[in-house]
Amino acid sequence: MKRASTVLWAFLLLLAQGRAFGFVDQIAFSPTNPHAGQPITISFRSGVCDGVDTPVVWELQGSGSVRDLVVNGVAFQEPLFCNSAIGTTAIVIGTLPPGAYEIHIKIRDPNDGLGGILSPSFGSAQFVVGPTLAIPGLGRLGQALIVALILALTVWLRNGRFGAPLLMIVVFGYGLASPPVRAQDAFIVELTLAQPPAPPPEAIVEGYDFATGLNPPFPALTVGSPSYAVYLLPFRASGAFSALLQANPGSVRAQLERTLLVAYASAEDRAAGMQ
């Protein structure tokens, strides 16, 4: 009898510890100031006794300001079966109309034999979706400068001595005529990456997802919460020309290739990113 009691208490202790180790936390959303028509990403961390199935299957339930983000997985497992990997799940829930929202994270086990009963809320992400912002038009001057940019690139390919100054003049003029902003509340910082072995611009523009919250290849981008980055030059070098620039990283054109335009959602973010 004493041995049975000891086993029971050990099992209850293991059960309590297993449930304590399960978690869903670090619930976040991006972008920081979403607007109507702008996709919204909800991310959260989970593991051990609470996990998400792979591939991720989810559903946004409700139609008001308070909605449930239901994700297939397992929740509150018994301690002997707590083997869910710890990781961060990012789900693009799409666009929402203007208004204040509260998105709760719930887990549904489709194999529970009860039709997939929802877990209680593990927490929520709260944010306000602003109205749609008008995108500034390019204008005739901007269109003319794009044509001039193409001509400057042609001159550069044929005669590098005259092409580099002409290219810089056209890029500067294009920036004055049509600032590269995507919305009225975006602030742009120009960033020129160092020469190799520093991270290449592709690793930031194409290889890094700002919405995940993971560490970027360029540590300075952890300051100020930037929302996206684009190339300064829309036309990228390729082939033999790209190899020539890599062999001469100190040239003007190579520096332009390594220059990025990093967007911040507010003036405060921009100031933090420039420090």
Side-chain angles (χ1 to χ4, degrees):
M1 184 69 180
K2 182 177 181 181
R3 181 178 180 182
S5 176
T6 302
V7 172
L8 178 60
W9 278 109
F11 178 78
L12 292 176
L13 180 61
L14 182 61
L15 177 64
Q17 290 179 342
R19 292 183 184 275
F21 289 144
F23 63 89
V24 174
D25 60 12
Q26 297 184 10
I27 301 174
F29 65 91
S30 64
T32 54
N33 295 296
H35 295 277
Q38 189 175 24
I40 299 171
T41 299
I42 304 293
S43 63
F44 57 90
R45 193 175 68 109
S46 63
V48 188
C49 292
D50 305 312
V52 175
D53 290 346
T54 302
V56 178
V57 178
W58 62 276
E59 177 185 358
L60 187 62
Q61 296 184 352
S63 58
S65 60
V66 180
R67 306 189 185 188
D68 292 334
L69 179 57
V70 180
V71 186
N72 282 4
V74 289
F76 307 120
Q77 298 179 84
E78 298 302 328
L80 296 178
F81 302 97
C82 289
N83 58 357
S84 297
I86 298 176
T88 299
T89 302
I91 298 175
V92 181
I93 64 173
T95 61
L96 293 172
Y101 292 91
E102 184 175 313
I103 308 296
H104 287 263
I105 307 297
K106 296 185 177 181
I107 294 179
R108 171 181 57 198
D109 184 357
N111 301 315
D112 61 6
L114 301 174
I117 297 178
L118 301 185
S119 71
S121 172
F122 284 99
S124 65
Q126 301 177 354
F127 53 87
V128 176
V129 177
T132 304
L133 295 181
I135 304 300
L138 187 60
R140 293 184 177 179
L141 179 58
Q143 295 174 359
L145 285 171
I146 287 181
V147 175
L149 177 60
I150 296 175
L151 294 176
L153 288 173
T154 303
V155 173
W156 165 263
L157 292 175
R158 293 186 177 181
N159 192 331
R161 183 177 60 180
F162 298 105
L166 179 59
L167 182 63
M168 295 181 65
I169 292 173
V170 172
V171 170
F172 180 73
Y174 176 76
L176 294 178
S178 180
V181 296
R182 297 185 180 180
Q184 293 176 356
D185 65 343
F187 294 87
I188 305 298
V189 172
E190 182 177 313
L191 174 67
T192 300
L193 301 179
Q195 298 181 13
E202 294 81 5
I204 297 175
V205 176
E206 301 175 10
Y208 173 58
D209 184 0
F210 290 88
T212 62
L214 300 176
N215 291 330
F218 186 58
L221 292 181
T222 59
V223 181
S225 301
S227 55
Y228 65 88
V230 296
Y231 298 115
L232 173 65
L233 297 181
F235 304 97
R236 310 294 296 162
S238 60
F241 186 37
S242 177
L244 177 63
L245 293 179
Q246 293 177 11
N248 298 274
S251 64
V252 175
R253 175 56 192 267
Q255 293 179 34
L256 290 175
E257 288 276 337
R258 298 197 306 272
T259 300
L260 308 178
L261 300 176
V262 184
Y264 292 85
S266 66
E268 291 78 10
D269 279 350
R270 180 185 64 172
M274 293 179 66
Q275 292 178 355

